[in-house]
Amino acid sequence: MSSDLGDNVGVRVSAKVDYALRAAVELAIAPPGPVKCERIAQAQSIPLKFLENILLELRHHGLVQSQRGADGGYWLARPADEIHLAEVIRAVEGPLANVRGVRPENLDYEGTAEPLRDVWVAVRASLRSVLESVTLADLAAGELPDDVRGLVSDPEAWQPH
């Protein structure tokens, strides 16, 4: 899944991020108590082994908790309305935006390319404005914040250019 910014440059959402968000939303809609990994994998068509690793990373970052055993499974560590999509993404992939593995603010361009660093910082800020405003509860309820719905309602947003 990708959103192209140009012919050769794009913002790409990895399968790992996509699966992590889908699994987290599945936990957000689940009744209280542990949810089996197999149930999440089946509900969201996520490969089980891949999902197990993702849930371990989310647990490591304090977003989910788990319990072993016959009655075990996973659940959100905090209420769904307190977990933003950006947190889930950072837990499984690190910073929201980087250039060649470097954070935008740490880039050093010279000459005419110097303003490019500010462009990358602005791109990161734009991603944050969406991903830090949407919570798992928003997704679970099918109710996106007004500013996000406004972006989606623009017909240009749906164009692949």
Side-chain angles (χ1 to χ4, degrees), residues 9-144:
V9 177
V11 174
R12 305 209 187 284
V13 176
S14 69
K16 187 176 187 179
V17 165
D18 183 48
Y19 293 163
L21 290 170
R22 289 165 46 198
V25 172
E26 200 63 32
L27 291 174
I29 64 166
V35 180
K36 299 262 183 231
C37 190
E38 293 82 3
R39 181 171 157 233
I40 299 167
Q42 184 176 32
Q44 289 296 321
S45 300
I46 300 172
L48 183 60
K49 281 295 186 193
F50 201 2
L51 180 59
E52 288 171 349
N53 290 328
I54 288 169
L55 289 170
L56 287 175
E57 287 185 56
L58 294 176
R59 186 174 61 112
H60 176 75
H61 284 89
L63 296 175
V64 300
Q65 293 181 328
S66 66
Q67 173 181 314
R68 292 184 178 196
D71 295 327
Y74 293 86
W75 63 92
L76 295 177
R78 301 192 319 262
D81 63 351
E82 294 179 13
I83 301 175
H84 294 90
L85 304 189
E87 289 180 81
V88 176
I89 294 169
R90 286 184 188 112
V92 297
E93 279 213 337
L96 293 180
N98 65 60
V99 179
R100 297 178 275 105
V102 178
R103 292 177 184 264
E105 70 275 12
N106 294 331
L107 294 168
D108 188 26
Y109 294 112
E110 295 182 17
T112 56
E114 192 173 335
L116 192 53
R117 180 194 59 169
D118 293 348
V119 170
W120 297 136
V121 170
V123 167
R124 180 180 60 192
S126 180
L127 287 170
R128 281 181 180 166
S129 73
V130 172
L131 298 172
E132 290 180 351
S133 70
V134 181
T135 67
L136 295 177
D138 294 330
L139 290 182
E143 299 281 331
L144 298 177

